[in-house]
Amino acid sequence: MATEETTLPTTEDEWRIRLDPDEFRVLRQAGTEPAWSGEYVSTKDEGMYRCRGCGTELYPSDTKFDSHCGWPSFDDAIPGAVKEIEDRSHGMTRVEIRCANCDGHLGHVFKGEGFTPKNTRHCVNSLSIRLDPK
């Protein structure tokens, strides 16, 4: 699990310096970008998707698929790169996904929808990731 940034911020004020306001809202405050607004919703370029907060490799581009949900979708993450946490916000129970390295909010994971043979959809905010083209 390669990372670009070796020294992570230790306070939220340091994160505010590293990230722009929209990135901070999503990565550090578990916000969500509006559907269909993210730069990677329709991207089909090859490469590696990395955490925008710390540079950790999260998703190879060959795991990305079009789920028509309005956010980039991946059917699998690099083993150990993403952690799952129960999310009971907004009156529902979901599974939040976070970068295992910097604890940045990525989005949510849904299972059992039948989109791919792995039957898993990582629904990720474009503001949480950055594509490192092949």
Side-chain angles (χ1 to χ4, degrees):
M1 185 167 34
T3 62
E4 286 179 354
E5 300 287 342
T6 56
T7 305
L8 293 177
T10 57
T11 68
E12 292 306 295
D13 285 339
E14 290 173 353
W15 278 111
R16 284 183 197 279
I17 292 168
R18 177 178 290 191
L19 304 170
D20 75 28
D22 289 329
E23 293 167 346
F24 184 85
R25 182 181 54 77
V26 171
L27 282 162
R28 306 308 306 166
Q29 298 177 320
T32 301
E33 65 194 0
W36 307 106
S37 69
E39 68 181 301
Y40 298 122
V41 174
S42 301
T43 301
K44 302 206 185 302
D45 296 344
E46 291 184 16
M48 179 63 66
Y49 287 90
R50 295 176 175 267
C51 175
R52 199 174 286 229
C54 69
T56 295
E57 294 179 342
L58 302 172
Y59 300 101
S61 61
D62 63 359
T63 64
K64 188 173 186 288
F65 68 98
D66 190 359
S67 67
H68 305 284
C69 72
W71 292 272
S73 297
F74 303 87
D75 72 350
D76 208 356
I78 292 174
V82 172
K83 61 183 176 180
E84 298 181 4
I85 301 167
E86 184 177 281
D87 176 4
R88 293 183 170 261
S89 65
H90 306 292
M92 61 184 108
T93 301
R94 300 178 292 173
V95 177
E96 179 185 5
I97 48 177
R98 290 185 164 266
C99 173
N101 187 50
C102 73
D103 201 39
H105 172 76
L106 302 172
H108 291 84
V109 64
F110 302 94
K111 298 179 180 177
E113 296 176 322
F115 285 116
T116 70
K118 291 186 179 179
N119 212 14
T120 302
R121 174 174 59 97
H122 288 236
C123 183
V124 179
N125 290 284
S126 289
L127 286 168
S128 296
I129 54 177
R130 181 164 283 125
L131 177 61
D132 184 8
K134 197 171 194 177

